[in-house]
Amino acid sequence: MQARRVAGRPGLVGRHHECSALDRLVAGVRGGHSEVLVLRGEAGVGKSALLDHVIGNAPGCQVARAAGIESEMELAFAGLHQLCAPFLNRLEAVPGPQCEALGTALGLRSGDTPDRFLIGLAVLSLLSDAAREQPLICIIDDAQWLDRASAQTLAFVARRLAAEAVALVFAVRDPFDEHDWAGLPTLVVAGLPDRDARTLLDALVTGPLDERVRERILTETRGNPLALLSATRELSPEQMAGGFGMPGTGPLPDRIEAGFRRRLVALPPATQRLLLVAAAEPDQDPVLVWRAAGLLGVGVDAAEPAIADGLVEFAGQVRFCHPLARSAVYRAASAEERRRIHGALADATDPGRDAERRAWHRAHATSGLDETVAADLERSAGRARARGGLAAAAAFRERAAELTPDPQRRAQRALAAAQAKHQAGAPDRALRLLAIADAGPQDELARARCQLLRAQIATGAGAGRDAPLLAAAKRLEQLDAALARETYRDAFYAALNAGRLATRGSVREVAQAVRALPPPSGPGHAGDLLLDGLARVITDGYAAGAPLLRSALDRFRNAEVSTEEAFRWLPLAAKSSHDVWDDESWHTLAHRLVTLARDSGALTVLPVALMLGLADQLFAGAVSTAAAMAEEADAVGRATGHPLPPYGALVVAAWRGREAEVTALAVAATAEMTARDEGQWLTAGAWASALLYNGMGRYDDACIAAERGSAYPDELGLASWSMVELVEAAARSGTPERAAGAMRRLTEIAEGCDTDWARGVEARSRALLREGEPAERAHREAIARLGRTRVRSGLARAHLNYGEWLRRENRRMDARVQLRLAHDMLTEMGAEAFAERARRELLATGETVRKRRVDRATDLTEQEAQIARLAVAGHTNPEIGTRLFLSPRTVEWHLRKVFSKLGISSRKELRSALRGDVSVQLPA
């Protein structure tokens, strides 16, 4: 592919398709567009040469480069520092929290541990700001060797680029872990076609080449350019001419490295030692390399033979000619020689400025067990964690455990390392470390903590139906009561997610275990009351448990808790709020959780918070807000590389009456959710279908779906909402007996919860099954009670049900009043199917009703509507960008599109321009 040769011949052979794709990328970024491309292929296939092609064909663009280094993978944000270094003078232009996060991650300042996604937003803002002056192309070679923190951050940025005139081009070696790069545009770089490989081979060979030798070289190298180059270097003129003594075949990277090792052996010993120092130093800092070389007695003149051979450059950063050259140098040295080199590098590293790097080198310089080095690593793990390097902290803790001589302390450190590996997203390594911890002497609490971590790993991998957390919680009861209750909290959440798919550790089993717990000592925590109330609802019914739950929710609403404690308890508290039909607690707690997650950049918590919040908004009738939150949750999933189940999109589509969308979402996700043991998806899908069909007036279909959704009452909220749909569908389809069980359950819920929401919905459902005066009293009670709640969607449906009943009683004038109210409310909410049902009923009363258009007259996308709404509320572009994980420049680009669609030219005109669009609900 690339050959550096004389006589003015071109540097690239073939690659017309690849070069065209890269040229289009450069043209796109010059045109102000964002571009992302992952080049993937085996070692030596020419990815680096294609990156050089990008740089050579990008006049007028800024270029920033970084490269992953295998020996640097344990040092958090090392790769990111390479890429961002030229732009750090712009860091103060980045929004405050983002600036603090990135500065802390890169070691420029001290501070609290930053959220990694705030760091991602900071990099996005930094690159966007740099591209304002000139299009920016970021080249990241050997991305498979980036440290995990840098890889995750750059993948996050790649997914959020939109209108920044920034290009990110990654080169990744096959095979590689696709997780971080999943979903990014990819170009596979294969070996050269035979014709181009022959052309390159001819250009590389200066003497005669036997045809049989040619064919063997082409066959063995499979068009790999670096392998072709290595093959020609390996063979003597006699071998090329006659074919004698051909080297054996083996794995291609090994053979290429072997070629570099042969070149290394020919160099003087001092030069070899200098190259080993350079290969062992991940920072590529020539000052540090020369300082360590001096400690080893290696002088400056030792570099000349390596430079002349083309193996390395010492200008600026130390740069090897190819990553395989670096690994060849490092692997060619003996273990003793590598330890000596790392020892010199440790001595040359400033312990005050870079204690983590010094500890890392000391660890690699140690041959046996060493408590001093292990303790140093343990301290450095804390510093690495403070910089935001979860993966680095985990690696340091792992090495500390390996070097610890005392068996008990070794087991303790192995458990701490396993917990860090789990947090860093490396469950396999965590399990390996747990095996080390189990092998050492431990007390019973430590063994219980090991079991807990195994349970957490298993639950995260989709083993929710077996509920390993329940067993871990039971073991902890006599050892650490507080930790046991926290584990029961997580077991409850896992069991509710597993729902009907749980085979062991069902919601009822968790509830029974919680009921058997001794009461907490002391005044107790609101979480203790929450667990007890939830358990009693499951085991003894709403009359016994709902008052306890509502008391716990009142304490959560009124108490000041830390952000960390809120993240632990508010998800279950907010979920329990709708389980006991407490709309005020639901709104307050969900809103608080969303706000805390956004403000702290906790994108692992934010999707859960958004799901809880969007359902609250949906019941409140703010459908466009719910849709925007669903889009935001999806954006978080895509940005972090962890796509979420489409719960939000499903229920929003159902409320809007969009059958095709509901069906497509349900079909697409059901198999995956079943495999992940998320039984609540099956219930959510059934409830959404029942809601959809009731809106469309297809009551037989709604009955079938609602029966599926309400089949497992222990699933609480979703199952109860399905019962509401079942009563309406059964009453309307002329089969009220199908609703008898659901009606009894709703009555029990209403009496136990004693909220206007629960009693209003129960009255609305009861009215559908009654006749005459009892029916009318129930309809009026439903409207009165629901009118005192935030549940406007329920109120609108109560008006619709009452209007339908009045029309069937031939009280047309009274019916029109209720049906007009229902039609107006449902239309404003964007509940298209229910609004159409109300319109048909109005027509049946003899009133002419114009079919109102609820589609977006302005044709704004959900994201554009959300940005417009935030702009109307007074948020700046950087604030909107932080909220939606976009750069300020992308927000500006979206706003220009909004202005164009609305025919306006400024933010001042937004509110009035949007006021007539029922699908964009504006802030007060």
Side-chain angles (χ1 to χ4, degrees):
M1 167 131 155
Q2 178 163 2
R4 291 178 171 83
R5 48 195 188 276
V6 295
R9 299 192 64 171
L12 286 173
V13 173
R15 300 304 189 200
H16 304 296
H17 168 69
E18 293 87 344
C19 290
S20 295
L22 293 169
D23 290 343
R24 287 194 298 272
L25 178 143
V26 173
V29 78
R30 277 208 193 102
H33 304 291
S34 293
E35 302 283 349
V36 176
L37 188 62
V38 177
L39 301 176
R40 54 177 294 185
E42 66 179 5
V45 80
K47 302 182 295 295
S48 298
L50 286 170
L51 297 180
D52 289 340
H53 173 82
V54 173
I55 296 169
N57 288 272
C61 296
Q62 305 175 77
V63 176
R65 300 193 68 160
I69 300 172
E70 191 172 12
S71 57
E72 194 172 330
M73 293 177 71
E74 296 173 350
L75 298 177
F77 299 112
L80 196 65
H81 193 282
Q82 287 184 54
L83 188 70
C84 294
F87 311 115
L88 291 180
N89 61 325
R90 299 175 175 271
L91 189 56
E92 297 304 321
V94 171
Q98 298 176 25
C99 176
E100 291 291 330
L102 184 57
T104 302
L106 299 184
L108 304 178
R109 62 189 70 183
S110 59
D112 295 333
T113 301
D115 186 279
R116 59 178 176 156
F117 299 112
L118 267 182
I119 297 168
L121 285 171
V123 175
L124 181 63
S125 298
L126 186 67
L127 299 183
S128 174
D129 184 67
R132 285 182 176 274
E133 297 178 1
Q134 201 174 23
L136 173 62
I137 298 176
C138 299
I139 300 293
I140 302 97
D141 204 354
D142 285 302
Q144 78 280 353
W145 285 338
L146 285 172
D147 60 278
R148 188 68 191 278
S150 294
Q152 290 176 334
T153 300
L154 291 174
F156 174 97
V157 172
R159 292 185 179 95
R160 304 313 297 156
L161 288 172
E164 288 83 7
V166 175
L168 286 178
V169 188
F170 301 92
V172 185
R173 180 192 295 184
D174 275 333
F176 73 104
D177 181 1
E178 298 190 28
H179 178 74
D180 287 332
W181 319 108
L184 297 180
T186 299
L187 179 63
V188 176
V189 184
L192 290 170
D194 186 68
R195 179 178 176 180
D196 293 329
R198 289 176 183 275
T199 301
L200 178 56
L201 182 57
D202 289 343
L204 293 169
V205 175
T206 55
L209 181 62
D210 185 275
E211 189 60 30
R212 292 169 300 175
V213 177
R214 181 197 307 275
E215 293 304 320
R216 291 178 69 180
I217 292 175
L218 292 172
T219 299
E220 291 179 357
T221 58
R222 294 176 288 110
N224 184 290
L226 188 56
L228 284 166
L229 177 61
S230 298
T232 59
R233 285 179 178 269
E234 292 172 12
L235 299 180
S236 67
E238 293 81 7
Q239 289 172 324
M240 290 186 186
F244 300 104
M246 281 290 291
T249 60
L252 193 57
D254 292 344
R255 292 166 53 202
I256 295 172
E257 280 195 20
F260 285 125
R261 283 197 294 270
R262 277 188 285 274
R263 294 166 65 181
L264 177 66
V265 169
L267 298 175
T271 303
Q272 294 182 37
R273 185 164 296 169
L274 175 63
L275 289 176
L276 182 55
V277 173
E281 170 41 43
D283 202 30
Q284 301 174 296
D285 180 4
V287 175
L288 183 57
V289 168
W290 285 117
R291 189 183 301 151
L295 295 175
L296 293 166
V298 176
V300 176
D301 56 347
E304 290 304 322
I307 296 172
D309 189 77
L311 276 172
V312 72
E313 297 174 3
F314 280 92
Q317 289 182 315
V318 179
R319 187 182 297 276
F320 282 83
C321 66
H322 193 276
L324 289 173
R326 175 188 286 271
S327 61
V329 169
Y330 193 78
R331 294 181 190 182
S334 67
E336 182 180 353
E337 183 67 10
R338 285 198 294 264
R339 286 193 294 271
R340 184 182 177 193
I341 295 298
H342 280 293
L345 284 164
D347 292 341
T349 302
D350 186 335
R353 294 182 53 193
D354 207 347
E356 299 102 295
R357 191 175 301 273
R358 184 173 183 273
W360 183 85
H361 280 302
R362 285 188 71 199
H364 283 75
T366 302
S367 59
L369 304 179
D370 190 315
E371 174 58 28
T372 302
V373 176
D376 194 12
L377 281 168
E378 192 170 37
R379 288 189 295 272
S380 295
R383 288 189 292 267
R385 180 66 181 87
R387 282 181 52 187
L390 269 174
F396 278 34
R397 290 190 182 280
E398 180 178 24
R399 184 63 175 148
E402 292 170 350
L403 294 177
T404 302
D406 179 69
Q408 185 172 10
R409 184 168 292 177
R410 178 186 177 90
Q412 293 169 349
R413 284 174 174 161
L415 175 57
Q419 292 168 331
K421 285 288 184 184
H422 174 53
Q423 292 175 338
D428 292 340
R429 299 292 291 274
L431 290 172
R432 189 184 74 80
L433 285 159
L434 278 174
I436 297 174
D438 283 337
Q442 298 187 87
D443 59 24
E444 185 60 22
L445 177 58
R447 295 196 182 280
R449 285 179 176 272
C450 287
Q451 181 181 352
L452 172 59
L453 181 55
R454 277 199 174 86
Q456 291 168 336
I457 293 170
T459 301
R465 69 174 67 198
D466 292 328
L469 286 168
L470 176 58
K474 287 181 176 179
R475 186 173 184 178
L476 284 163
E477 284 180 19
Q478 303 302 319
L479 303 168
D480 188 327
L483 182 57
R485 284 188 167 262
E486 292 206 354
T487 306
Y488 275 119
R489 175 201 63 214
D490 297 339
F492 251 136
Y493 214 96
L496 287 167
N497 282 345
R500 63 185 67 190
L501 295 180
T503 55
R504 291 183 297 168
S506 65
V507 174
R508 185 163 292 271
E509 289 177 279
V510 177
Q512 290 168 342
V514 171
R515 288 293 313 279
L517 286 173
S521 58
H525 182 272
D528 298 325
L529 195 58
L530 181 72
L531 290 179
D532 292 343
L534 188 56
R536 286 180 183 273
V537 166
I538 298 295
T539 59
D540 298 343
Y542 275 86
L548 292 175
L549 264 181
R550 293 197 61 198
S551 177
L553 297 174
D554 286 343
R555 289 174 64 176
F556 274 113
R557 285 174 59 183
N558 297 320
E560 291 291 332
V561 297
S562 67
T563 298
E564 184 178 351
E565 187 176 7
F567 289 163
R568 290 201 308 267
W569 284 102
L570 288 192
L572 186 60
K575 191 177 189 308
S576 298
S577 299
H578 67 59
D579 290 341
V580 291
W581 302 69
D582 183 346
D583 54 302
E584 288 296 340
S585 291
W586 186 10
H587 175 69
T588 300
L589 297 177
H591 178 73
R592 183 183 301 171
L593 186 60
V594 170
T595 301
L596 283 172
R598 280 178 176 152
D599 289 349
S600 63
L603 298 200
T604 52
V605 179
L606 184 55
V608 174
L610 288 168
M611 289 300 169
L612 289 163
L614 76 85
D616 164 60
Q617 292 296 318
L618 192 70
F619 275 85
V623 183
S624 68
T625 301
M629 294 173 81
E631 170 67 24
E632 184 177 348
D634 182 62
V636 175
R638 286 184 281 106
T640 60
H642 297 282
L644 302 171
Y647 285 103
L650 178 75
V651 296
V652 168
W655 182 242
R656 284 177 166 171
R658 298 177 181 176
E659 182 181 9
E661 191 173 342
V662 170
T663 302
L665 288 167
V667 169
T670 295
E672 179 188 352
M673 294 301 100
T674 302
R676 286 171 49 169
D677 299 341
E678 288 206 27
Q680 70 172 356
W681 170 263
L682 303 177
T683 304
W687 169 61
S689 296
L691 177 69
L692 169 77
Y693 292 136
N694 271 336
M696 299 173 70
R698 289 168 50 181
Y699 300 115
D700 289 335
D701 291 333
C703 252
I704 294 170
E707 285 173 334
R708 290 200 313 271
S710 58
Y712 295 85
D714 285 352
E715 292 175 333
L716 300 182
L718 287 168
S720 301
W721 300 343
S722 293
M723 292 173 195
V724 176
E725 302 305 326
L726 178 56
V727 171
E728 180 162 347
R732 288 287 183 255
S733 64
T735 56
E737 66 279 1
R738 297 173 72 175
M743 193 64 238
R744 283 194 298 272
R745 176 73 169 175
L746 289 175
T747 300
E748 177 203 341
I749 290 171
E751 291 175 351
C753 296
D754 195 26
T755 65
D756 278 323
W757 179 18
R759 288 196 175 276
V761 168
E762 188 273 341
R764 194 183 88 205
S765 301
R766 181 168 17 101
L768 293 167
L769 300 173
R770 299 283 178 89
E771 300 289 343
E773 181 61 24
E776 182 158 18
R777 283 201 305 272
H779 279 303
R780 289 182 176 276
E781 179 187 353
I783 289 170
R785 287 189 177 277
L786 290 171
R788 295 195 288 267
T789 72
R790 299 187 67 261
V791 191
R792 291 186 70 249
S793 63
L795 176 61
R797 290 181 66 180
H799 284 298
L800 174 59
N801 292 153
Y802 187 27
E804 290 171 329
W805 182 84
L806 288 168
R807 186 185 72 77
R808 285 162 178 75
E809 293 291 307
N810 290 318
R811 293 164 57 181
R812 294 192 172 193
M813 296 301 293
D814 292 338
R816 287 174 184 172
V817 174
Q818 298 299 323
L819 292 171
R820 279 196 208 101
L821 276 171
H823 182 257
D824 290 347
M825 291 176 71
L826 292 164
T827 300
E828 180 184 353
M829 293 173 193
E832 300 168 25
F834 281 104
E836 176 60 17
R837 183 172 135 188
R839 190 183 76 88
R840 290 195 305 266
E841 289 288 330
L842 274 169
L843 290 173
T845 67
E847 180 164 313
T848 301
V849 186
R850 183 176 299 173
K851 188 172 183 179
R852 290 179 58 179
R853 180 178 176 85
V854 295
D855 295 332
R856 237 180 251 290
T858 57
D859 196 32
L860 296 185
T861 66
E862 295 288 4
Q863 188 170 65
E864 288 167 352
Q866 190 175 17
I867 288 172
R869 188 164 47 248
L870 291 170
V872 168
H875 294 286
T876 65
N877 286 1
E879 290 169 344
I880 296 172
T882 299
R883 178 88 163 256
L884 302 183
F885 319 107
L886 303 170
S887 74
R889 188 166 180 178
T890 294
V891 174
E892 181 184 338
W893 176 65
H894 279 300
L895 276 175
R896 287 200 301 269
K897 290 169 65 180
V898 170
F899 293 167
S900 176
K901 289 180 179 181
L902 296 175
I904 61 177
S905 59
S906 71
R907 284 174 175 247
K908 294 179 181 179
E909 302 170 85
L910 263 178
R911 179 178 286 275
S912 59
L914 290 172
R915 188 171 288 124
D917 189 346
V918 299
S919 64
V920 183
Q921 290 151 344
L922 297 176

